[in-house]
Amino acid sequence: MMNISNALENLVDEFSRLPQIGRKTALRLAMYITRQPAEDVERFSRALSEVKARIRFCSVCCNITEDEVCMICRSGSRKGNQICVVEEPQDVFAIEKTNEYKGKYHVLHGIISPLDGIGPNDIRIKELLARLGSNNGDNVEELILALNPTVEGETTILYLSKLLKPLDLKITRIARGIPVGSDLEFADEVTLAKAFEGRILI
Amino acid sequence: MMNISNALENLVDEFSRLPQIGRKTALRLAMYITRQPAEDVERFSRALSEVKARIRFCSVCCNITEDEVCMICRSGSRKGNQICVVEEPQDVFAIEKTNEYKGKYHVLHGIISPLDGIGPNDIRIKELLARLGSNNGDNVEELILALNPTVEGETTILYLSKLLKPLDLKITRIARGIPVGSDLEFADEVTLAKAFEGRILI
């Protein structure tokens, strides 16, 4: 950028720190910002500060919220006896969109990945244990593991199912199979095998 | 987002206003922000405000700068008798990277596009005329039109060449042809025709 402007250089640096934003895109975004009205840029700048000031983790399910306890955990209309365990808050949004699940959630904020040095203590597993343990106030009966069907997801499922076995809960995992609208002939063999394994009576 | 947080919602809105960032990417970026240390987010927030406070347009060439007159316009080692006309500041960065061009620039900040309602008065053409007009202090001899070979670029080239004809300048345009490293058989016919037209003696 030929030392045109330190301010611009800094903003390009900041944009390029975002995930999946390269130098070229960062420059394009920074240039876009220079063309916007000052009040719009101020609003963006404030939105950044505020999200950091306001967002915290629900003390029960660890999902993001602006309150001590999140809306789903507080809601009287959600079944407390089911907990769906997910990796990230985005997974909660995705599941909520289906309008099918009426239980509660637990957000791990990560997944066990020995290759990346992420072990059970680096994700919110002890918070999950606390919910299920002595003060199982919700009388949790079923734990639905809705983790991604990747190596890390499988590792985490294996770890959790062993860890929680003594608690005498129903532990389930969501089905692996052919995505709706996709074509069977394009499915990989593992997915297809799992789809057969998980076949249901019609 | 189920009213999880207004602050998060606002940040997602801001990110999704950026060019080529959709709702889903905006959510991913906002979630990334929530996971960053507060001081990093503050630095990003400040970088946004500062770029807007500091960046202005060079009073000579209209390129972005933090000064009244940009470094290239001030430089004694750049030839003043050549002006390369480009659409955006990014084009200056791209041309500077080649290390081949030693003249000066003029940034139009847009291109004539009747379909988008952008006419000659919406881009920095009168500033260019002022440089070439009565007080042609730099004794400009050649104007290199380095505009994109699109319909809008061609329209702008046509407009500028007619407008500037009376000034008795050498007006050139950069070559259209086969990109280096690319394969002739994949070139479209117009590009190939232009490559023949623009052939040079070896």
Side-chain angles (χ1 to χ4, degrees), chain A residues 2 4-8 14 17 31-32 34 36 41-43 45 48-49 52 64 66 89 93 96, chain B residues 2 4-8 14 17 31-32 34 36 41-43 45 48-49 52 64 66 89 93 96:
Chain A
M2 320 168 304
I4 273 199
S5 152
N6 280 331
L8 186 67
E14 293 299 334
R17 267 188 204 105
M31 290 303 306
Y32 174 83
T34 66
Q36 298 316 297
V41 178
E42 267 319 300
R43 208 188 44 231
S45 168
L48 277 169
S49 307
K52 202 56 207 174
I64 53 170
E66 291 190 11
F93 306 153
E96 285 297 291
Chain B
M2 320 169 302
I4 274 198
S5 153
N6 280 331
L8 186 67
E14 293 299 335
R17 267 187 203 105
M31 290 302 306
Y32 173 83
T34 66
Q36 297 317 296
V41 179
E42 268 318 301
R43 206 187 44 231
S45 169
L48 277 169
S49 308
K52 204 54 207 175
I64 52 169
E66 292 190 13
F93 306 153
E96 284 298 290

Side-chain angles (χ1 to χ4, degrees), chain B residues 37 57 59 77 85 107 112 117 119 132 163-165 179:
Chain B
F57 298 125
S59 60
S77 62
V85 180
V107 181
I112 298 175
L132 302 172
L163 180 75
L164 302 173
K165 192 160 245 170

Side-chain angles (χ1 to χ4, degrees), chain B residues 20 29 32-34 36 39-41 51 55 62 66 70 97 102 109 112-113 118 134 142 182 184 186 189 193 199:
Chain B
Q20 281 162 51
L29 295 177
Y32 173 83
I33 293 292
T34 66
Q36 297 317 296
E39 60 268 30
D40 288 11
V41 179
V51 99
I55 288 277
C62 304
E66 292 190 13
C70 80
K97 267 199 218 145
K102 298 299 175 200
H109 288 281
I112 298 175
S113 175
I118 303 171
S134 52
E142 181 179 3
S182 133
L184 204 133
F186 301 128
E189 50 273 52
R199 68 193 181 278

Side-chain angles (χ1 to χ4, degrees), chain A residues 112-126:
Chain A
I112 298 175
S113 175
L115 278 179
D116 301 312
I118 302 170
N121 293 327
D122 300 314
I123 62 178
R124 307 287 179 122
I125 289 180
K126 62 178 181 302

Side-chain angles (χ1 to χ4, degrees), chain A residues 99-119:
Chain A
N99 259 316
E100 290 289 336
Y101 179 66
K102 299 299 175 199
K104 299 195 171 177
Y105 290 95
H106 190 84
V107 181
L108 294 176
H109 289 280
I111 198 128
I112 298 175
S113 175
L115 278 179
D116 301 312
I118 302 170

Side-chain angles (χ1 to χ4, degrees), chain A residues 4 9-10 12-13 19 29 38 59 65 68 80 87 90 95 103 110-111 133 136 151 170 180 182 192 197 199-200:
Chain A
I4 273 199
E9 191 85 49
N10 288 342
V12 173
D13 285 349
L29 295 177
S59 62
T65 176
E68 166 70 21
E87 183 181 337
Q90 290 98 306
I95 296 170
I111 198 128
N136 184 345
V151 174
K170 185 171 161 194
V180 177
S182 131
L192 205 48
E197 208 180 296
R199 69 193 180 276
I200 55 170

Side-chain angles (χ1 to χ4, degrees), chain B residues 59-97:
Chain B
S59 60
V60 178
C61 74
C62 304
N63 195 7
I64 52 169
T65 176
E66 292 190 13
D67 309 301
E68 167 69 21
V69 175
C70 80
M71 267 191 21
I72 294 181
C73 284
R74 285 200 315 259
S75 163
S77 62
R78 311 281 308 212
K79 284 185 280 180
N81 61 347
Q82 274 187 328
I83 292 183
C84 175
V85 180
V86 296
E87 182 180 339
E88 301 286 0
Q90 291 98 307
D91 301 327
V92 176
F93 306 153
I95 296 170
E96 284 298 290
K97 267 199 218 145

Side-chain angles (χ1 to χ4, degrees), chain A residues 60-61 69-86 92 95-96 101-107 131 138 140 142 144:
Chain A
V60 178
C61 73
V69 175
C70 80
M71 268 190 20
I72 295 181
C73 283
R74 284 201 316 260
S75 164
S77 62
R78 311 280 309 212
K79 284 186 279 179
N81 62 347
Q82 273 186 329
I83 292 183
C84 174
V85 179
V86 297
V92 175
I95 296 170
E96 285 297 291
Y101 179 66
K102 299 299 175 199
K104 299 195 171 177
Y105 290 95
H106 190 84
V107 181
R131 292 175 76 178
D138 271 337
V140 179
E142 181 179 3
I144 303 169

